[in-house]
Amino acid sequence: MKKNLLWLVVFCFSISAFGQAPKHTFKLGESDFLLDGKPFQIISGELHYPRVPKEAWRERMKMAKAMGLNTIGTYVFWNLHEPQKGKFDFSGNNNIAEFVKIAQQEGLWVILRPSPYVCAEWEFGGYPYWLQNEKGLVVRSTEKQYLEEYKKYIIEVGKQLAPLQINHGGNIIMVQVENEYGSYAADKNYLDINRKMFIEAGFDGLLYTCDPAADVKDGHLAGLLPAVNGIDNPAKIRKLVNENHDGKGPYFIAEWYPAWFDWWGTAHHTVPAEQYTKKLDSVLAAGISINMYMFHGGTTRDFMNGANYKDISPYEPQTSSYDYDAPLNEAGNATEKFRQFRSVIEKHLPAGQSLPAIPAAKPSMAIAPFKLNEQVALFNMLPQAVKNATPLTFEDLKQDYGYVLYRTTIKGGKQGELQLKQLRDYAIIFINQKRAGILDRRLNQNTLSLTLPEGDVQLDIFVENMGRVNFGKYLLENKKGITEQVTFAGTEVKNWSMYGFPFKNINSYTTKPSAIQGNGPTLQKGTFKINTVADTYLDMTDWGKGVVWVNGHNLGKYWAIGPQQTLYIPKEWLKKGNNDVAVLELLKNDQQILKAIDQPILNTLKKINVE
């Protein structure tokens, strides 16, 4: 009797610990995935919870079902969930457990990618900025401090998501260990540490790795399924997987790219659906599983865009729009690519299955021009200064994102070159609060010729973090601001006052009806009134460079150089009646008129004169 009672207690504990008793099984067969013991072909699309308003998650998932997807994939973003060391956040739009549960309610399986490194055109590849303040810490390595912080994080993620695995009654069918690690290094011990951490965090279901074809050998860990990224030739996929998996399958394209992302100053990337429909058809006909990256990109808001940087290419910060030319556009509407892919998928449905109708496109609206009637010059609302002999980085100042003003006084009456060593990433230079020039890391600019007036001169350098590098070896060189020294005419400039503008809560910055003085950055606020709520797009074509908030929501960055000229406002963040808007404008403070249009502009490049 005692033995039976003990068993009952253990059984009840297991149910309470992991949510509910298992309902399904998901395993690897010799050549197929096996769902409840039967062959199952994953037809998945990537969809990232922070790039879509929480209120619209279900809508996007219904669209996934309508295209024929049976699964969605998502990363988990460390810098969202632990923005400051030891302070975890899984609330609101960060509530990934809710995201997974909604997917289950909508009949979708989930492939989870919770490794600390995500790439994803995301700030610092998903790493929180504060890791760089841990002296000696090295990301993506076996360095002790990194593994300690990693472990704390993955344990917290496990608390949220391990109970939602299929073997515990949930809908997470696979969990990815690391992310394209073979493109970075080849340390199998490090990969095995990752695997063990996942299991300790409760991820005791099916684990896998994913790498580009050329890097599978280095990124794969024996015993785990090796998934392949970026190729869609069935014979090559089978060969690669067999070589690294004891001659067996199943076969899974973890990232299939029928489109691409954008970065500032470069043409909008589009790929016609016709170039990919036959490839999709051949993959599905061969029984190979697939995850489209992206099915729906959405928008990268809240200063969370990343950047690419290599020795042979310039710094390339990504745009806020993550439309990606994906089957589902930035606003969540079906595109021609969506319809053509759906037609291909429909051909390969199991007997007796049919697809739901495609939901109608959401209405969108224009908003008539309106004036922002309150403003303030940032130079007139300085926070408390941090003083130091040499410039401090954002990280030194314990500031994650946004802007820092560096101010000092130098002796005038001479000419010379101002040099900012290792500027990251964009600096507006002011002499006695008059703009003297701009330095842009994208263009490899770090020096500016100046002629200083007589007497003491106030030198201001307003620096923007335009996104930490998210891929490659430069993950280890990601501090922001003026990261080394400033010299003028060959002499080091010292004695700096630094003022941080992280813009975490736009409501904490006050404005008033007054004329703008000087030509420095400004914050402007106003309201617009609407009688109907619908998606819309702020047209920033006539503005310079900055950020917009609507009803407290950060919509992302704009920059006149393009290709993105509009900022998407989802209907979920609007309300009937008055809506609040705030604009941080860095370059054109005489611009005060805003308007919205009913379609995005994502493909217009412009040359702008900012001198």
Side-chain angles (χ1 to χ4, degrees):
M1 181 68 180
K2 286 183 179 178
K3 189 175 181 180
N4 289 340
L5 183 61
L6 179 62
W7 181 89
L8 182 62
V9 169
V10 171
F11 177 72
C12 291
F13 174 78
S14 69
I15 290 178
S16 64
F18 291 104
Q20 50 188 303
K23 294 180 180 178
H24 298 279
T25 62
F26 191 76
K27 298 179 180 178
L28 303 181
E30 290 285 319
S31 59
D32 299 299
F33 292 106
L34 300 177
L35 178 62
D36 296 332
K38 298 177 181 177
F40 177 73
Q41 186 174 26
I42 298 168
I43 306 176
S44 176
E46 193 85 4
L47 173 63
H48 297 154
Y49 57 101
R51 284 175 158 140
V52 177
K54 181 183 178 183
E55 302 86 347
W57 287 345
R58 191 178 299 275
E59 236 177 43
R60 302 299 191 271
M61 291 175 189
K62 288 184 183 297
M63 296 298 289
K65 289 287 286 186
M67 199 176 83
L69 304 184
N70 54 34
T71 306
I72 57 170
T74 186
Y75 286 118
V76 185
F77 300 84
W78 188 355
N79 53 16
L80 289 185
H81 297 298
E82 194 181 4
Q84 299 294 334
K85 185 176 180 177
K87 296 180 180 179
F88 289 93
D89 180 8
F90 291 94
S91 65
N93 236 89
N94 291 348
N95 190 346
I96 185 171
E98 182 66 18
F99 179 81
V100 172
K101 290 172 185 175
I102 292 172
Q104 187 171 31
Q105 293 162 12
E106 293 301 323
L108 289 161
W109 302 105
V110 169
I111 293 173
L112 190 71
R113 313 218 270 164
S115 288
Y117 172 69
V118 301
C119 190
E121 291 71 61
W122 193 265
E123 229 273 346
F124 201 3
Y127 286 119
Y129 87 100
W130 54 262
L131 289 178
Q132 298 181 102
N133 283 342
E134 304 295 310
K135 191 173 181 180
L137 186 148
V138 181
V139 299
R140 299 191 94 179
S141 79
T142 56
E143 189 274 322
K144 182 182 176 183
Q145 293 178 97
Y146 170 64
L147 294 181
E148 287 175 354
E149 298 301 339
Y150 176 172
K151 185 173 182 178
K152 293 174 195 172
Y153 164 70
I154 204 68
I155 292 293
E156 292 296 325
V157 171
K159 290 176 185 176
Q160 300 288 323
L161 297 171
L164 304 181
Q165 294 170 103
I166 189 170
N167 51 322
H168 299 293
N171 58 324
I172 297 173
I173 55 174
M174 291 203 299
V175 178
Q176 179 184 295
V177 174
E178 244 286 353
N179 183 50
E180 297 188 321
Y181 181 68
S183 302
Y184 187 78
D187 185 345
K188 302 297 183 180
N189 178 47
Y190 169 72
L191 283 173
D192 197 47
I193 290 171
N194 279 253
R195 180 188 66 83
K196 289 173 180 175
M197 279 195 192
F198 274 43
I199 293 170
E200 187 175 347
F203 293 112
D204 55 357
L206 184 55
L207 304 179
Y208 75 101
T209 61
C210 85
D211 291 280
D215 303 320
V216 169
K217 183 177 179 181
D218 287 340
H220 171 241
L221 182 64
L224 303 187
L225 176 71
V228 185
N229 292 355
I231 63 171
D232 44 29
N233 180 300
K236 288 182 180 179
I237 293 165
R238 290 182 190 279
K239 183 174 184 292
L240 262 172
V241 174
N242 289 343
E243 287 173 351
N244 290 276
H245 199 230
D246 299 326
K248 298 182 295 186
Y251 308 96
F252 177 41
I253 307 170
E255 293 186 14
W256 182 65
Y257 310 112
W260 206 241
F261 60 91
D262 289 340
W263 53 93
W264 293 111
T266 302
H268 178 50
H269 294 85
T270 59
V271 183
E274 293 80 8
Q275 291 186 21
Y276 279 88
T277 48
K278 288 182 181 178
K279 295 175 181 179
L280 179 60
D281 190 33
S282 68
V283 164
L284 297 183
I288 291 171
S289 291
I290 193 169
N291 178 55
M292 301 177 189
Y293 194 102
M294 299 290 297
F295 158 67
H296 171 54
T299 312
T300 309
R301 306 178 178 92
D302 290 312
F303 304 114
M304 281 298 173
N305 69 279
N308 280 333
Y309 184 79
K310 299 177 183 177
D311 293 320
I312 58 173
S313 64
Y315 172 74
E316 297 170 342
Q318 291 121 15
T319 61
S320 296
S321 171
Y322 202 60
D323 176 86
Y324 217 92
D325 193 37
L328 208 62
N329 68 15
E330 184 176 9
N333 293 317
T335 64
E336 179 59 23
K337 188 173 287 183
F338 178 105
R339 295 180 183 88
Q340 291 194 35
F341 286 1
R342 170 187 158 99
S343 294
V344 173
I345 295 168
E346 211 163 18
K347 288 169 51 181
H348 299 279
L349 290 177
Q353 284 192 17
S354 60
L355 297 181
I358 303 174
K362 297 180 294 174
S364 59
M365 64 180 181
I367 298 173
F370 60 95
K371 187 176 182 179
L372 302 177
N373 51 18
E374 291 192 1
Q375 52 268 320
V376 64
L378 292 199
F379 291 168
N380 293 338
M381 55 180 295
L382 299 181
Q384 187 171 350
V386 175
K387 296 180 182 293
N388 200 60
T390 56
L392 298 175
T393 65
F394 278 51
E395 290 74 16
D396 293 330
L397 297 166
K398 293 184 169 51
Q399 181 173 324
D400 44 12
Y401 316 114
Y403 311 82
V404 170
L405 172 64
Y406 296 82
R407 172 171 287 178
T408 191
T409 300
I410 57 178
K411 292 292 182 184
K414 54 186 175 182
Q415 294 180 324
E417 274 201 342
L418 181 74
Q419 182 180 58
L420 277 56
K421 195 172 181 184
Q422 290 298 322
L423 165 68
R424 298 181 186 157
D425 301 298
Y426 184 89
I428 311 174
I429 316 299
F430 299 88
I431 300 298
N432 293 334
Q433 294 201 19
K434 292 184 178 180
R435 190 166 67 214
I438 290 172
L439 299 176
D440 186 345
R441 182 183 179 189
R442 294 178 317 115
L443 306 176
N444 293 318
Q445 296 171 341
N446 64 2
T447 59
L448 181 68
S449 294
L450 295 176
T451 300
L452 301 182
E454 296 289 339
D456 288 343
V457 172
Q458 181 176 297
L459 171 64
D460 287 319
I461 305 174
F462 189 78
V463 178
E464 177 182 1
N465 166 7
M466 290 183 59
R468 290 181 179 87
V469 174
N470 59 259
F471 182 82
K473 67 180 181 180
Y474 290 100
L475 283 172
L476 304 178
E477 298 178 26
N478 250 332
K479 292 191 174 182
K480 290 299 180 180
I482 300 173
T483 63
E484 294 194 18
Q485 66 175 5
V486 179
T487 60
F488 178 68
T491 301
E492 184 175 3
V493 180
K494 293 192 173 183
N495 300 320
W496 294 89
S497 296
M498 285 147 286
Y499 306 87
F501 291 93
F503 284 104
K504 288 182 180 176
N505 178 8
I506 191 61
N507 295 323
S508 66
Y509 298 90
T510 57
T511 54
K512 56 185 179 180
S514 61
I516 294 295
Q517 295 182 349
N519 58 2
T522 60
L523 180 66
Q524 302 184 47
K525 292 185 178 181
T527 60
F528 59 91
K529 189 172 184 178
I530 52 175
N531 299 318
T532 304
V533 172
D535 285 350
T536 190
Y537 303 85
L538 280 178
D539 183 358
M540 308 307 294
T541 304
D542 295 331
W543 291 70
K545 190 179 197 300
V547 183
V548 179
W549 294 260
V550 168
N551 293 328
H553 296 282
N554 183 324
L555 301 182
K557 294 184 177 183
Y558 65 90
W559 194 359
I561 66 170
Q564 176 186 349
Q565 300 291 344
T566 52
L567 284 169
Y568 169 56
I569 309 179
K571 64 180 181 182
E572 292 82 6
W573 290 351
L574 293 172
K575 56 189 178 182
K576 291 182 180 179
N578 288 332
N579 291 262
D580 298 324
V581 61
V583 180
L584 172 66
E585 170 59 49
L586 306 186
L587 303 175
K588 296 177 67 174
N589 64 19
D590 58 342
Q591 180 60 252
Q592 294 178 290
I593 304 298
L594 264 184
K595 65 177 180 179
I597 54 180
D598 61 3
Q599 294 295 322
I601 303 173
L602 301 177
N603 58 354
T604 301
L605 294 172
K606 294 197 308 184
K607 289 185 177 180
I608 59 171
N609 180 14
V610 293
E611 298 305 323

